[in-house]
Amino acid sequence: MKSNLATQEIPKGYRVYKIKGVEHPIVARKGGPTADAVKNKSSYKELRNNQKEFGVASMMAKVLRNSLSEGLTEICETYVSGRLTAQFRNIAKYEEGPTGTRPLYVTKYGHSLSGFEFNTTAPYEEIFGAKYFLKSGSRRGQVILHFPAFVPEDTFKTPNGATNFKINARLVALSDYHFDPQLKAYQALNKDFHGKYGSYQSPMLPILKIPTEPMTAHVSVDQVDVPENTALFLLMAISFYHYENGKFQHLNKDSGMTIKQVY
């Protein structure tokens, strides 16, 4: 659920309240415990602690989604936010300790999100069959992509009506989070790089039985080394388009995007 509920209609039979330490409002059915009870009663301590971890996971998912361009956002299916938040939430379970204080170390466990599909009806690896190579750059925070020449008509699982395509890559930095007992809140260990990203987008290319030119791209988050306590999420996407009457229509429901690797 998005944090800005002021402009959204709350479903009938539900209510909204805030919990300290959780960034987004909580939406719950009416008739359950009151907001005051959830905030203060000892019997709801575990719920409050779960909400703290969920709040950090939700924020991480939001930062990753906010790094996407409009075209990449269009590829995301309706419930991708909830699915992505659940994956980040699972990272806390790898560490021992009381719920609500366990760190979320994406540098150690972010690899568990590798292969995450933003559009499950068009999995990236199934629709994009071209070989390509990934290599770390000369500094941390840089990736080199190389696509040898390939024949689009023989390579793609092309949707009906597709005439063109684009290849996209996005490298996003996400910080580890730990619980600060003095502040009684989660804090980013490297907030300066949290949410920074670099990107690559190929030209608009036709889907023909003619080989493409080889493509090489350097995708960099920054001009300096990305420090420790920061994971790098490499997202890869293939977008299909239909060209007609001088305009390109994005076939977003048939396009795919995945978390290819986490460094």
Side-chain angles (χ1 to χ4, degrees):
M1 183 69 68
K2 294 181 179 179
S3 60
N4 183 14
L5 292 169
T7 58
Q8 298 183 36
E9 182 179 351
I10 306 304
K12 186 176 181 181
Y14 285 78
R15 59 193 172 87
V16 179
Y17 59 90
K18 292 278 292 181
I19 293 179
K20 185 178 180 180
V22 178
E23 180 182 347
H24 61 283
I26 307 301
V27 180
R29 285 185 180 275
K30 291 181 179 178
T34 64
D36 184 68
V38 172
K39 290 178 183 178
N40 300 299
K41 274 196 170 184
S42 60
S43 56
Y44 292 107
K45 182 179 179 180
E46 187 65 13
L47 174 60
R48 292 194 295 272
N49 289 338
N50 274 302
Q51 290 289 4
K52 288 178 183 177
E53 292 183 355
F54 180 85
V56 179
S58 176
M59 181 276 303
M60 285 184 167
K62 182 179 179 181
V63 170
L64 190 64
R65 296 194 325 272
N66 284 350
S67 75
L68 303 177
S69 65
E70 181 178 352
L72 295 181
T73 301
E74 291 173 354
I75 296 175
C76 297
E77 60 192 6
T78 305
Y79 301 106
V80 74
S81 177
R83 290 198 299 110
L84 192 57
T85 295
Q87 292 296 313
F88 279 111
R89 170 68 175 79
N90 286 336
I91 289 176
K93 299 177 183 179
Y94 289 106
E95 292 288 326
E96 296 182 356
T99 308
T101 65
R102 297 178 295 187
L104 278 77
Y105 289 147
V106 284
T107 51
K108 292 173 66 176
Y109 310 113
H111 60 83
S112 63
L113 279 81
S114 296
F116 179 89
E117 295 288 348
F118 290 82
N119 180 12
T120 55
T121 61
Y124 176 83
E125 297 294 346
E126 290 185 16
I127 63 176
F128 183 56
K131 291 183 179 180
Y132 57 96
F133 302 94
L134 296 173
K135 179 183 176 182
S136 297
S138 58
R139 61 178 180 273
R140 191 167 187 271
Q142 183 186 70
V143 172
I144 301 170
L145 293 168
H146 178 68
F147 299 85
F150 61 88
V151 178
E153 275 196 11
D154 297 338
T155 298
F156 299 139
K157 184 179 178 183
T158 309
N160 291 335
T163 59
N164 296 77
F165 71 95
K166 280 185 180 181
I167 298 170
N168 286 271
R170 193 146 293 212
L171 190 63
V172 186
L174 293 180
S175 173
D176 285 337
Y177 268 73
H178 77 135
F179 185 79
D180 188 320
Q182 293 184 329
L183 297 176
K184 295 183 179 181
Y186 277 96
Q187 299 290 312
L189 292 176
N190 186 10
K191 61 182 180 181
D192 290 340
F193 275 81
H194 190 57
K196 286 192 174 184
Y197 63 87
S199 60
Y200 164 75
Q201 184 180 84
S202 75
M204 182 74 76
L205 297 170
I207 300 175
L208 299 172
K209 215 169 183 62
I210 301 173
T212 65
E213 293 292 328
M215 291 177 275
T216 300
H218 291 71
V219 188
S220 180
V221 168
D222 212 318
Q223 298 305 309
V224 297
D225 284 336
V226 174
E228 296 181 359
N229 305 123
T230 310
L232 295 159
F233 285 69
L234 177 63
L235 280 61
M236 300 288 295
I238 178 73
S239 286
F240 293 110
Y241 297 85
H242 174 72
Y243 182 75
E244 188 174 4
N245 297 328
K247 293 183 179 180
F248 289 101
Q249 176 191 357
H250 188 197
L251 304 178
N252 56 294
K253 295 186 183 300
D254 299 306
S255 301
M257 180 165 60
T258 187
I259 297 176
K260 180 64 179 174
Q261 288 190 23
V262 181
Y263 303 87

